[in-house]
Amino acid sequence: MRVPRREPAPAPAPAPATTFGRGMRQAHFNFASSYTPLNHGSFGAFPSCVREYQQKLQCETEAKPDTFIRFSYPRLLREAREAVAPLLGAETDEVVFVPNALTAINTVLRNLTYRDDDVILYFSTIYDACEKTIESLEETIAVRGHRIELIYPVEDDEIVDKFRTAILEIQSQGKTVKLAMFDTILTFPGVSFPWESLVPICKEYGIYSCIDGAHGIGHIDLHHLGQIGEGYLPTPQREALSQKSYFVNLFEKVSTIDTSPYICVIAALRFRNRVCGGEERVRDYCQSMAREGGDLMAAMMGTEVLDNKKGTLRNCCFINLRLPLEVAEESEEENRTGKIPAREAKAVADWITLTTVEEFDTFLATRYYAGAFWVRLSSQIYLERADFEWAANVLLDLCGRVKRGVLWT
């Protein structure tokens, strides 16, 4: 059977250089003109040229289903794996695509062999659904989870010390840490995590490292990952193991889902290289804008951006801003000071988040955490200083309403 030759993914059309910020948003993305996208960390967006390429692939699938799915798709999938592997310092056959990071986490955790007294070690900052996976395993097999409590701000050295102490404590009980799970970048608070310091400790004690990289790829530099050692790094696009053809074949053909996003990676990376100027330029802009935007908002609101003494928490594209709202832990203090009752804090945070959607056509993720109100924002190439100034004014408005007693229940 002769398979027609298929043209490679088209490059973005040559055009005058577009600067990052609002110009990038208007020229290359598909947001509504009224919408201000400040939550890329939850639901990102892809450029128009990548969307058009995906639609072309979907049309080809419908036009010649067997030809495309049986013959064209496996070749394109390999090309996509070849393209993304260097970003992770990995070999092509160490990389496969899965629908999302949680699928990868479940694939890893549910395919290990556990013995009595095996333990999965993790931190309280784990993504909620990942913790539910561990709880599910506890209900069905002998493995148990051990949770290390963290309350931010915290120094990286303290995290590393807590990690080693937990391993020794578990071993003193005659148990074995089978696997340790931790993040590259936390979901909430959105801060950099010292994963590179934890992997060598896992090696030292013969523990599998399962690194949740959902916020990692494209966000921080992971080129050196292959030098750190074997383990598991689930990201929204990748999971790495050490076997070759058998492992790759397991994930090559998955039916009844649209896998076209996997093979759009080449077009996406071409956009990042040709239009944006490469991975380093993207990272530098997003991280510097996160610092500039966060500092601006904190100054406008008279509060602070979450960080530790060494300043490592902000080595990412997230901003965690404390809101100018005070909380009363005791009813007597509440009556005397007019602070927000702690029992109503979650309702207030939920009200702020919902109101940003309903009244301001954006999404500002607000939580009550460690005795204060915090909002997490994401920097991105389509945002600029003015967007964070606008967000600060929105939050000042909403905090003012809360202080004046606006009902949030």
Side-chain angles (χ1 to χ4, degrees), residues 217-261:
I217 188 169
H219 187 157
I220 57 175
D221 187 1
L222 294 171
H223 283 89
H224 60 302
L225 180 65
Q227 301 170 10
I228 293 176
E230 291 185 359
Y232 308 96
L233 178 79
T235 78
Q237 296 178 323
R238 182 256 199 193
E239 179 198 328
L241 292 170
S242 57
Q243 294 187 6
K244 195 173 180 182
S245 59
Y246 174 72
F247 169 64
V248 171
N249 290 337
L250 284 175
F251 294 89
E252 185 174 82
K253 184 178 183 298
V254 181
S255 300
T256 68
I257 62 171
D258 180 8
T259 54
S260 61

CSV table of all heavy atoms in Angstrom, one decimal, residues 217-261:
chain,number,residue,atom,x,y,z
A,217,ILE,N,7.7,21.7,32.2
A,217,ILE,CA,8.2,21.8,30.8
A,217,ILE,C,7.7,23.2,30.2
A,217,ILE,O,6.6,23.6,30.3
A,217,ILE,CB,7.7,20.6,30.0
A,217,ILE,CG1,8.3,20.7,28.6
A,217,ILE,CG2,6.2,20.6,29.9
A,217,ILE,CD1,8.1,19.4,27.8
A,218,GLY,N,8.7,23.9,29.7
A,218,GLY,CA,8.4,25.2,29.1
A,218,GLY,C,8.3,26.3,30.1
A,218,GLY,O,8.3,27.5,29.8
A,219,HIS,N,8.4,26.0,31.4
A,219,HIS,CA,8.3,26.9,32.5
A,219,HIS,C,9.7,27.2,33.1
A,219,HIS,O,10.1,28.3,33.4
A,219,HIS,CB,7.4,26.4,33.5
A,219,HIS,CG,7.0,27.3,34.6
A,219,HIS,ND1,5.9,27.2,35.4
A,219,HIS,CD2,7.6,28.4,35.2
A,219,HIS,CE1,5.8,28.1,36.3
A,219,HIS,NE2,6.9,28.9,36.2
A,220,ILE,N,10.4,26.1,33.3
A,220,ILE,CA,11.8,26.2,33.8
A,220,ILE,C,12.7,25.3,32.9
A,220,ILE,O,12.2,24.5,32.2
A,220,ILE,CB,11.9,25.7,35.3
A,220,ILE,CG1,11.4,24.2,35.4
A,220,ILE,CG2,11.2,26.6,36.2
A,220,ILE,CD1,11.5,23.6,36.8
A,221,ASP,N,14.0,25.6,33.1
A,221,ASP,CA,15.0,24.8,32.2
A,221,ASP,C,15.1,23.4,32.8
A,221,ASP,O,15.5,23.2,33.9
A,221,ASP,CB,16.3,25.5,32.3
A,221,ASP,CG,17.3,24.9,31.3
A,221,ASP,OD1,17.0,24.0,30.6
A,221,ASP,OD2,18.5,25.4,31.3
A,222,LEU,N,14.8,22.4,31.9
A,222,LEU,CA,14.9,21.0,32.3
A,222,LEU,C,15.9,20.2,31.4
A,222,LEU,O,15.9,19.0,31.4
A,222,LEU,CB,13.5,20.3,32.2
A,222,LEU,CG,12.5,20.8,33.2
A,222,LEU,CD1,11.1,20.2,32.9
A,222,LEU,CD2,12.9,20.4,34.6
A,223,HIS,N,16.7,21.0,30.7
A,223,HIS,CA,17.7,20.4,29.8
A,223,HIS,C,18.6,19.4,30.5
A,223,HIS,O,19.1,18.4,29.9
A,223,HIS,CB,18.6,21.4,29.1
A,223,HIS,CG,17.9,22.1,28.0
A,223,HIS,ND1,17.1,23.3,28.1
A,223,HIS,CD2,17.8,21.8,26.6
A,223,HIS,CE1,16.7,23.6,27.0
A,223,HIS,NE2,17.0,22.8,26.0
A,224,HIS,N,18.9,19.7,31.8
A,224,HIS,CA,19.8,18.8,32.6
A,224,HIS,C,19.2,17.6,33.2
A,224,HIS,O,19.8,16.9,34.0
A,224,HIS,CB,20.5,19.7,33.6
A,224,HIS,CG,19.5,20.3,34.6
A,224,HIS,ND1,18.4,21.1,34.2
A,224,HIS,CD2,19.4,20.2,36.0
A,224,HIS,CE1,17.7,21.5,35.3
A,224,HIS,NE2,18.3,20.9,36.3
A,225,LEU,N,17.9,17.4,33.0
A,225,LEU,CA,17.2,16.3,33.6
A,225,LEU,C,17.9,15.0,33.5
A,225,LEU,O,18.0,14.2,34.4
A,225,LEU,CB,15.7,16.3,33.1
A,225,LEU,CG,14.9,15.2,33.8
A,225,LEU,CD1,14.6,15.4,35.2
A,225,LEU,CD2,13.5,15.1,33.0
A,226,GLY,N,18.3,14.7,32.2
A,226,GLY,CA,19.0,13.4,32.0
A,226,GLY,C,20.2,13.2,32.8
A,226,GLY,O,20.6,12.1,33.0
A,227,GLN,N,20.9,14.3,33.2
A,227,GLN,CA,22.1,14.2,34.0
A,227,GLN,C,21.8,13.9,35.4
A,227,GLN,O,22.7,13.4,36.2
A,227,GLN,CB,22.9,15.5,33.9
A,227,GLN,CG,23.3,15.8,32.5
A,227,GLN,CD,23.9,17.2,32.4
A,227,GLN,OE1,24.2,17.9,33.4
A,227,GLN,NE2,24.0,17.7,31.2
A,228,ILE,N,20.6,14.1,35.9
A,228,ILE,CA,20.3,13.9,37.3
A,228,ILE,C,20.1,12.5,37.6
A,228,ILE,O,20.4,12.0,38.7
A,228,ILE,CB,19.0,14.8,37.7
A,228,ILE,CG1,19.3,16.3,37.6
A,228,ILE,CG2,18.5,14.4,39.0
A,228,ILE,CD1,18.1,17.1,37.8
A,229,GLY,N,19.5,11.7,36.6
A,229,GLY,CA,19.4,10.3,36.8
A,229,GLY,C,18.0,9.8,36.5
A,229,GLY,O,17.1,10.5,36.2
A,230,GLU,N,17.9,8.4,36.6
A,230,GLU,CA,16.7,7.8,36.2
A,230,GLU,C,15.6,8.0,37.3
A,230,GLU,O,15.9,8.2,38.4
A,230,GLU,CB,16.9,6.3,36.1
A,230,GLU,CG,17.7,5.9,34.8
A,230,GLU,CD,17.8,4.4,34.7
A,230,GLU,OE1,17.2,3.7,35.5
A,230,GLU,OE2,18.4,4.0,33.7
A,231,GLY,N,14.4,8.0,36.8
A,231,GLY,CA,13.2,8.2,37.7
A,231,GLY,C,12.0,8.4,36.8
A,231,GLY,O,12.0,7.9,35.7
A,232,TYR,N,11.0,9.1,37.3
A,232,TYR,CA,9.8,9.4,36.5
A,232,TYR,C,9.5,10.8,36.6
A,232,TYR,O,9.5,11.5,37.6
A,232,TYR,CB,8.6,8.6,37.1
A,232,TYR,CG,8.9,7.1,37.4
A,232,TYR,CD1,9.3,6.7,38.6
A,232,TYR,CD2,8.7,6.2,36.3
A,232,TYR,CE1,9.5,5.3,38.8
A,232,TYR,CE2,8.9,4.9,36.5
A,232,TYR,CZ,9.3,4.4,37.8
A,232,TYR,OH,9.6,3.1,38.0
A,233,LEU,N,9.3,11.4,35.4
A,233,LEU,CA,8.9,12.9,35.4
A,233,LEU,C,7.6,13.0,34.6
A,233,LEU,O,7.7,13.2,33.4
A,233,LEU,CB,10.0,13.7,34.7
A,233,LEU,CG,9.6,15.2,34.6
A,233,LEU,CD1,9.8,15.9,36.0
A,233,LEU,CD2,10.4,15.9,33.6
A,234,PRO,N,6.5,12.8,35.2
A,234,PRO,CA,5.2,13.1,34.5
A,234,PRO,C,5.0,14.6,34.3
A,234,PRO,O,5.1,15.3,35.2
A,234,PRO,CB,4.2,12.5,35.4
A,234,PRO,CG,4.9,11.7,36.4
A,234,PRO,CD,6.2,12.3,36.5
A,235,THR,N,4.7,14.9,33.0
A,235,THR,CA,4.3,16.3,32.7
A,235,THR,C,3.1,16.2,31.8
A,235,THR,O,2.7,15.1,31.5
A,235,THR,CB,5.4,17.0,31.9
A,235,THR,OG1,5.4,16.6,30.5
A,235,THR,CG2,6.8,16.8,32.4
A,236,PRO,N,2.4,17.3,31.5
A,236,PRO,CA,1.3,17.2,30.6
A,236,PRO,C,1.6,16.6,29.2
A,236,PRO,O,0.7,16.2,28.5
A,236,PRO,CB,0.9,18.7,30.4
A,236,PRO,CG,1.4,19.3,31.6
A,236,PRO,CD,2.7,18.7,31.9
A,237,GLN,N,2.9,16.4,28.9
A,237,GLN,CA,3.2,15.9,27.6
A,237,GLN,C,4.1,14.7,27.7
A,237,GLN,O,4.3,14.0,26.7
A,237,GLN,CB,3.9,16.9,26.7
A,237,GLN,CG,3.1,18.1,26.4
A,237,GLN,CD,3.8,19.2,25.6
A,237,GLN,OE1,5.0,19.4,25.9
A,237,GLN,NE2,3.1,19.8,24.7
A,238,ARG,N,4.7,14.4,28.8
A,238,ARG,CA,5.8,13.4,28.8
A,238,ARG,C,5.9,12.6,30.1
A,238,ARG,O,5.5,13.0,31.1
A,238,ARG,CB,7.1,14.2,28.7
A,238,ARG,CG,8.4,13.4,28.6
A,238,ARG,CD,9.2,13.4,29.9
A,238,ARG,NE,10.6,13.0,29.6
A,238,ARG,CZ,11.4,12.7,30.6
A,238,ARG,NH1,11.0,12.8,31.8
A,238,ARG,NH2,12.6,12.4,30.3
A,239,GLU,N,6.3,11.3,29.9
A,239,GLU,CA,6.6,10.5,31.0
A,239,GLU,C,7.9,9.7,30.7
A,239,GLU,O,8.0,9.1,29.6
A,239,GLU,CB,5.5,9.5,31.3
A,239,GLU,CG,5.8,8.6,32.5
A,239,GLU,CD,5.0,7.4,32.6
A,239,GLU,OE1,3.8,7.5,32.1
A,239,GLU,OE2,5.5,6.3,33.0
A,240,ALA,N,8.9,9.7,31.5
A,240,ALA,CA,10.2,9.1,31.2
A,240,ALA,C,10.4,7.8,32.0
A,240,ALA,O,10.3,7.9,33.2
A,240,ALA,CB,11.3,10.0,31.4
A,241,LEU,N,10.8,6.7,31.4
A,241,LEU,CA,11.2,5.5,32.0
A,241,LEU,C,12.5,5.1,31.4
A,241,LEU,O,13.1,5.8,30.6
A,241,LEU,CB,10.1,4.4,31.9
A,241,LEU,CG,8.9,4.7,32.7
A,241,LEU,CD1,7.8,3.6,32.3
A,241,LEU,CD2,9.1,4.6,34.2
A,242,SER,N,13.0,3.9,31.7
A,242,SER,CA,14.3,3.5,31.1
A,242,SER,C,14.2,2.4,30.1
A,242,SER,O,15.2,2.1,29.5
A,242,SER,CB,15.2,3.1,32.3
A,242,SER,OG,14.6,2.0,33.0
A,243,GLN,N,13.1,1.8,29.9
A,243,GLN,CA,13.0,0.8,28.8
A,243,GLN,C,12.8,1.4,27.5
A,243,GLN,O,12.4,2.6,27.4
A,243,GLN,CB,11.9,-0.2,29.1
A,243,GLN,CG,12.2,-1.0,30.4
A,243,GLN,CD,11.2,-2.1,30.6
A,243,GLN,OE1,10.3,-2.4,29.8
A,243,GLN,NE2,11.3,-2.8,31.7
A,244,LYS,N,13.0,0.7,26.4
A,244,LYS,CA,13.0,1.3,25.1
A,244,LYS,C,11.7,0.9,24.3
A,244,LYS,O,10.6,1.4,24.5
A,244,LYS,CB,14.2,0.9,24.3
A,244,LYS,CG,14.5,1.7,23.1
A,244,LYS,CD,15.8,1.5,22.5
A,244,LYS,CE,16.1,2.3,21.3
A,244,LYS,NZ,17.4,2.0,20.6
A,245,SER,N,11.8,-0.1,23.3
A,245,SER,CA,10.7,-0.3,22.4
A,245,SER,C,9.4,-0.7,23.0
A,245,SER,O,8.4,-0.3,22.7
A,245,SER,CB,11.2,-1.3,21.3
A,245,SER,OG,11.5,-2.5,21.9
A,246,TYR,N,9.5,-1.6,24.0
A,246,TYR,CA,8.3,-2.1,24.7
A,246,TYR,C,7.6,-1.0,25.3
A,246,TYR,O,6.4,-0.8,25.2
A,246,TYR,CB,8.6,-3.2,25.7
A,246,TYR,CG,7.5,-3.6,26.5
A,246,TYR,CD1,6.5,-4.4,25.9
A,246,TYR,CD2,7.3,-3.2,27.8
A,246,TYR,CE1,5.3,-4.8,26.7
A,246,TYR,CE2,6.2,-3.6,28.6
A,246,TYR,CZ,5.2,-4.4,28.0
A,246,TYR,OH,4.1,-4.8,28.7
A,247,PHE,N,8.3,-0.1,26.0
A,247,PHE,CA,7.7,1.0,26.7
A,247,PHE,C,7.1,2.0,25.7
A,247,PHE,O,5.9,2.4,25.9
A,247,PHE,CB,8.8,1.8,27.5
A,247,PHE,CG,8.4,3.1,28.0
A,247,PHE,CD1,7.4,3.2,28.9
A,247,PHE,CD2,9.0,4.2,27.5
A,247,PHE,CE1,7.0,4.5,29.4
A,247,PHE,CE2,8.7,5.5,28.0
A,247,PHE,CZ,7.7,5.6,29.0
A,248,VAL,N,7.8,2.3,24.6
A,248,VAL,CA,7.2,3.2,23.6
A,248,VAL,C,6.0,2.6,22.9
A,248,VAL,O,5.0,3.3,22.7
A,248,VAL,CB,8.3,3.5,22.5
A,248,VAL,CG1,7.7,4.2,21.3
A,248,VAL,CG2,9.5,4.3,23.1
A,249,ASN,N,6.0,1.3,22.6
A,249,ASN,CA,4.8,0.7,22.0
A,249,ASN,C,3.6,0.7,22.9
A,249,ASN,O,2.5,0.8,22.4
A,249,ASN,CB,5.2,-0.8,21.6
A,249,ASN,CG,6.2,-0.9,20.5
A,249,ASN,OD1,6.3,0.1,19.7
A,249,ASN,ND2,6.9,-2.0,20.4
A,250,LEU,N,3.8,0.7,24.2
A,250,LEU,CA,2.6,0.7,25.1
A,250,LEU,C,1.8,2.0,24.9
A,250,LEU,O,0.6,2.0,25.1
A,250,LEU,CB,3.1,0.6,26.5
A,250,LEU,CG,3.5,-0.7,27.1
A,250,LEU,CD1,4.1,-0.6,28.5
A,250,LEU,CD2,2.4,-1.7,27.1
A,251,PHE,N,2.5,3.1,24.5
A,251,PHE,CA,1.8,4.4,24.5
A,251,PHE,C,1.6,4.9,23.1
A,251,PHE,O,1.1,6.0,22.9
A,251,PHE,CB,2.6,5.4,25.3
A,251,PHE,CG,2.6,5.1,26.8
A,251,PHE,CD1,3.6,4.3,27.3
A,251,PHE,CD2,1.6,5.6,27.6
A,251,PHE,CE1,3.6,4.0,28.6
A,251,PHE,CE2,1.7,5.4,29.0
A,251,PHE,CZ,2.7,4.6,29.5
A,252,GLU,N,2.0,4.1,22.1
A,252,GLU,CA,1.9,4.6,20.7
A,252,GLU,C,0.5,4.7,20.1
A,252,GLU,O,0.1,5.6,19.5
A,252,GLU,CB,2.8,3.7,19.8
A,252,GLU,CG,2.9,4.3,18.4
A,252,GLU,CD,3.8,3.5,17.5
A,252,GLU,OE1,3.4,2.4,17.0
A,252,GLU,OE2,5.0,3.9,17.4
A,253,LYS,N,-0.3,3.7,20.5
A,253,LYS,CA,-1.6,3.7,19.9
A,253,LYS,C,-2.7,3.6,21.0
A,253,LYS,O,-2.7,2.6,21.8
A,253,LYS,CB,-1.8,2.4,19.0
A,253,LYS,CG,-3.2,2.4,18.3
A,253,LYS,CD,-3.3,1.2,17.4
A,253,LYS,CE,-4.6,1.2,16.6
A,253,LYS,NZ,-5.8,1.1,17.5
A,254,VAL,N,-3.4,4.7,21.2
A,254,VAL,CA,-4.4,4.8,22.2
A,254,VAL,C,-5.7,5.2,21.5
A,254,VAL,O,-5.8,6.2,20.9
A,254,VAL,CB,-4.1,5.8,23.3
A,254,VAL,CG1,-5.2,5.8,24.4
A,254,VAL,CG2,-2.8,5.4,24.0
A,255,SER,N,-6.7,4.3,21.6
A,255,SER,CA,-7.9,4.6,20.8
A,255,SER,C,-9.0,5.5,21.5
A,255,SER,O,-8.9,5.7,22.7
A,255,SER,CB,-8.6,3.2,20.4
A,255,SER,OG,-7.7,2.4,19.7
A,256,THR,N,-9.9,6.0,20.7
A,256,THR,CA,-11.1,6.7,21.2
A,256,THR,C,-10.8,8.0,21.9
A,256,THR,O,-11.6,8.5,22.6
A,256,THR,CB,-12.0,5.9,22.1
A,256,THR,OG1,-11.4,5.6,23.3
A,256,THR,CG2,-12.4,4.6,21.4
A,257,ILE,N,-9.6,8.6,21.7
A,257,ILE,CA,-9.3,9.9,22.2
A,257,ILE,C,-8.6,10.7,21.1
A,257,ILE,O,-8.0,10.1,20.2
A,257,ILE,CB,-8.5,10.0,23.5
A,257,ILE,CG1,-7.1,9.4,23.2
A,257,ILE,CG2,-9.1,9.3,24.6
A,257,ILE,CD1,-6.1,9.6,24.4
A,258,ASP,N,-8.7,12.0,21.1
A,258,ASP,CA,-8.1,12.8,20.1
A,258,ASP,C,-6.6,13.1,20.5
A,258,ASP,O,-6.4,13.8,21.5
A,258,ASP,CB,-8.8,14.2,20.0
A,258,ASP,CG,-8.2,15.1,18.9
A,258,ASP,OD1,-7.3,14.6,18.2
A,258,ASP,OD2,-8.6,16.3,18.9
A,259,THR,N,-5.7,12.5,19.8
A,259,THR,CA,-4.3,12.6,20.2
A,259,THR,C,-3.6,13.6,19.3
A,259,THR,O,-2.3,13.7,19.3
A,259,THR,CB,-3.6,11.2,20.0
A,259,THR,OG1,-3.8,10.7,18.7
A,259,THR,CG2,-4.1,10.2,21.1
A,260,SER,N,-4.3,14.4,18.6
A,260,SER,CA,-3.7,15.4,17.7
A,260,SER,C,-2.8,16.4,18.5
A,260,SER,O,-1.8,16.9,17.9
A,260,SER,CB,-4.7,16.1,16.9
A,260,SER,OG,-5.7,16.9,17.7
A,261,PRO,N,-3.2,16.8,19.7
A,261,PRO,CA,-2.2,17.7,20.4
A,261,PRO,C,-0.8,17.2,20.6
A,261,PRO,O,0.1,18.0,20.5
A,261,PRO,CB,-2.9,17.8,21.8
A,261,PRO,CG,-4.3,17.6,21.6
A,261,PRO,CD,-4.4,16.5,20.5
